[in-house]
Amino acid sequence: MIPKANRSDIWLERLKPYNERADVPHDLIVEGRLSRMVGLTLEAIGCRAAIGSRCEIETKNGRRIEAEVVGFSGSKVFLMPTAEVHGLEPDCRVIPMGKNSLAKVGFGLLGRVLDGAGNALDDKGPLRTTAQVSLNGTPINPLTRKPIREPLDVGVRAINAILAVGRGQRMGLFAGTGVGKSILLGMMTKFTNADIVVVALVGERGREVNEFVLKILGEEGLKRAVIIASPADCPPLMRVHGALLATSIAEYFRDQGKDVLLLMDSLTRFAQAHREIALAIDEPPATKGYPPSVFAKLPHLVERAGNADEGGGSITAFYTVLAEGDDNNDPIADAARGVLDGHIVLSRSLAESGHFPAIDIEASVSRVMPDIADANHLKLARDLRRLYSLYQQNKDLISVGAYQPGSDPRIDKAIEKNAVILEFLQQDMEESVSIAQSLHQLELLLNLR
């Protein structure tokens, strides 16, 4: 058996050509070899590389596959590939590249569709970027963040009137599958009053990417937007990078003083991709199969959005959260509620009845609404909520004829207003309703005799 010191000398001797590379720090270049592959996790021995850095794996036929360091144990380094891994076999060379993942940013990204690695998916030529930033961002001192004081017009009547959103707020769209969350996101993409829109389609169906670009955004909407697409068939690392890349691009535009709308569909798929990576490197599962690190990653991602320092721009973010089995107490949904500034819940029963957008105003809340809405707006919103809730609480009695008109004036009014309230809360997907229009219609509705 070769002594440990001699083995190291042999590895360094084989690596001499790479040691002459000026772009790689000398102390990081220790070539290794691929010893094991389980699922999508690659295990290398003999190399030295930091968490988050990139390595190249050279196959026997000369093809090189890029992978990222996601963990280590003793002398073993765990890698996650960024692309397909066909052609790998034992003892393939693992060459540290000595660089971390960076995001290329610039105004030349507007109107472009990118993948999770930041490469163009469209046929509009090379990307014109002016800078590079870290995928993991730089934390902002919470004491220097600009407070949320300005309402944001999202063009959706039910949100503008009942769940007012502030510029720099982080909101969640909670829904099961097939209840219209992607369509609602599309409406906000087109109608929201923002300088720049950044859309991250993470872990969703591949066909939705082209539909979103062509049908929802359109040519005019795309001019002020950047789309990052990491569909469900991408490796988990690329799905994670898609969310991080979108946030980094939004941060860059915010730092240029722009008001940015960040839409991420979905936060749940981001968490599931992290779960795949964590379980693959033997992190023990905790809550419903999610390892503890997943719940640490959620606030790290979400806290990057919001307002910048005084005088800077803002990122208003909407994250869709998939409630598995329509359970809004799902671990990811529960964790997301704790780190977001409010949540909009979409109801399957409303969607099945043809009510769109299927917003359940009883279960939804905007935590910053008291700070951005005036006293009259708050009163109107409370009055509508009260009438809507009264009707829902007594719906069974009313439907079977057990309630006698005149028994309770409040319920009588709720019955009288129910039809116009339901009409008010619905909206065609091609219709845009401003904040001023929403409040005017709400006031007319409540004062109508």
Side-chain angles (χ1 to χ4, degrees):
M1 184 174 179
I2 303 173
K4 184 175 181 180
N6 292 343
R7 289 204 308 270
S8 178
D9 291 342
I10 291 170
W11 286 117
L12 289 172
E13 184 66 25
R14 292 180 58 193
L15 194 59
K16 273 185 179 178
Y18 292 94
N19 287 343
E20 296 169 2
R21 286 171 53 179
D23 62 324
V24 180
H26 182 79
D27 61 343
L28 288 182
I29 304 179
V30 179
E31 183 193 68
R33 62 186 178 85
L34 195 63
S35 63
R36 187 167 176 253
M37 177 177 178
V38 179
L40 288 178
T41 308
L42 309 176
E43 188 177 294
I45 59 173
C47 63
R48 178 180 175 185
I51 293 289
S53 65
R54 294 295 181 94
C55 294
E56 282 185 344
I57 304 168
E58 189 176 75
T59 64
K60 300 297 183 183
N61 59 10
R63 178 174 171 240
R64 291 196 172 186
I65 297 171
E66 197 169 282
E68 183 174 308
V69 179
V70 294
F72 60 85
S73 176
S75 61
K76 300 175 183 177
V77 174
F78 301 120
L79 305 164
M80 190 68 66
T82 61
E84 293 294 332
V85 294
H86 299 301
L88 289 181
E89 53 187 286
D91 291 327
C92 286
R93 300 172 70 191
V94 179
I95 308 161
M97 299 168 66
K99 66 178 183 180
N100 292 327
S101 299
L102 296 172
K104 295 180 180 180
V105 293
F107 283 89
L109 295 179
L110 293 177
R112 303 303 300 268
V113 182
L114 316 177
D115 63 12
N119 302 314
L121 288 175
D122 51 28
D123 56 355
K124 297 181 179 179
L127 296 172
R128 296 184 296 276
T129 56
T130 55
Q132 288 185 327
V133 298
S134 169
L135 271 184
N136 293 309
T138 303
I140 298 177
N141 186 333
L143 293 180
T144 64
R145 274 190 189 265
K146 185 170 54 179
I148 300 173
R149 292 289 182 268
E150 183 184 349
L152 178 70
D153 189 347
V154 298
V156 179
R157 182 167 46 226
I159 297 176
N160 281 341
I162 313 300
L163 302 163
V165 174
R167 200 176 292 277
Q169 186 173 356
R170 289 85 53 94
M171 289 285 282
L173 283 179
F174 290 71
T177 55
V179 296
K181 61 183 183 301
S182 296
I183 296 176
L184 182 56
L185 272 186
M187 290 176 65
M188 290 189 286
T189 304
K190 289 191 293 185
F191 303 147
T192 298
N193 181 20
D195 298 324
I196 290 169
V197 178
V198 180
V199 182
L201 302 174
V202 178
E204 298 298 317
R205 293 178 291 273
R207 68 168 180 81
E208 290 184 338
V209 177
N210 207 33
E211 287 183 4
F212 195 93
V213 173
L214 297 178
K215 293 184 179 179
I216 296 177
L217 267 183
E219 187 176 343
E220 284 302 312
L222 188 59
K223 289 180 181 178
R224 62 165 184 157
V226 184
I227 313 294
I228 294 88
S230 297
D233 59 343
C234 290
L237 190 64
M238 283 297 97
R239 282 177 264 147
V240 170
H241 279 196
L244 298 178
L245 176 62
T247 308
S248 294
I249 292 172
E251 285 176 321
Y252 170 79
F253 288 124
R254 177 184 63 188
D255 293 342
Q256 306 304 309
K258 301 297 183 181
D259 290 320
V260 182
L261 176 66
L262 172 62
L263 304 172
M264 189 172 295
D265 189 11
S266 69
L267 192 64
T268 304
R269 304 300 187 198
F270 168 81
Q272 289 173 347
H274 258 300
R275 176 174 63 180
E276 289 180 47
I277 295 171
L279 293 177
I281 59 175
D282 294 331
E283 184 180 349
T287 309
K288 289 193 175 179
Y290 286 97
S293 63
V294 172
F295 300 100
K297 294 292 184 181
L298 290 177
H300 177 75
L301 177 70
V302 169
E303 281 296 324
R304 293 171 62 183
N307 285 333
D309 300 342
E310 289 287 351
S314 67
I315 301 175
T316 306
F318 285 86
Y319 301 92
T320 66
V321 180
L322 181 61
E324 295 187 11
D326 291 340
D327 179 14
N328 286 319
N329 293 316
D330 169 82
I332 298 302
D334 197 43
R337 265 196 303 270
V339 296
L340 294 170
D341 301 321
H343 50 272
I344 298 171
V345 178
L346 302 185
S347 163
R348 185 172 299 278
S349 61
L350 287 175
E352 289 173 347
S353 67
H355 182 116
F356 181 83
I359 298 173
D360 184 348
I361 62 170
E362 289 184 290
S364 304
V365 65
S366 172
R367 293 179 181 174
V368 305
M369 186 172 177
D371 299 323
I372 60 173
D374 58 33
N376 182 56
H377 186 174
L378 292 173
K379 180 182 181 303
L380 291 172
R382 280 197 300 267
D383 289 347
L384 186 137
R385 279 180 178 272
R386 190 179 298 116
L387 290 172
Y388 183 85
S389 295
L390 269 173
Y391 186 89
Q392 296 303 316
Q393 292 165 11
N394 296 276
K395 186 176 181 179
D396 292 340
L397 291 175
I398 296 168
S399 60
V400 299
Y403 174 75
Q404 296 297 319
S407 302
D408 188 329
R410 298 176 306 160
I411 299 177
D412 290 341
K413 187 173 182 180
I415 295 172
E416 176 191 346
K417 299 286 187 183
N418 184 62
V420 288
I421 287 175
L422 292 179
E423 184 179 350
F424 174 83
L425 295 175
Q426 296 179 69
Q427 184 174 332
D428 187 84
M429 67 178 65
E430 298 299 327
E431 177 188 6
S432 175
V433 184
S434 68
I435 293 177
Q437 291 172 322
S438 301
L439 291 180
H440 178 66
Q441 293 172 12
L442 178 56
E443 196 163 12
L444 288 177
L445 180 157
L446 292 174
N447 294 328
L448 187 64
R449 299 296 180 188

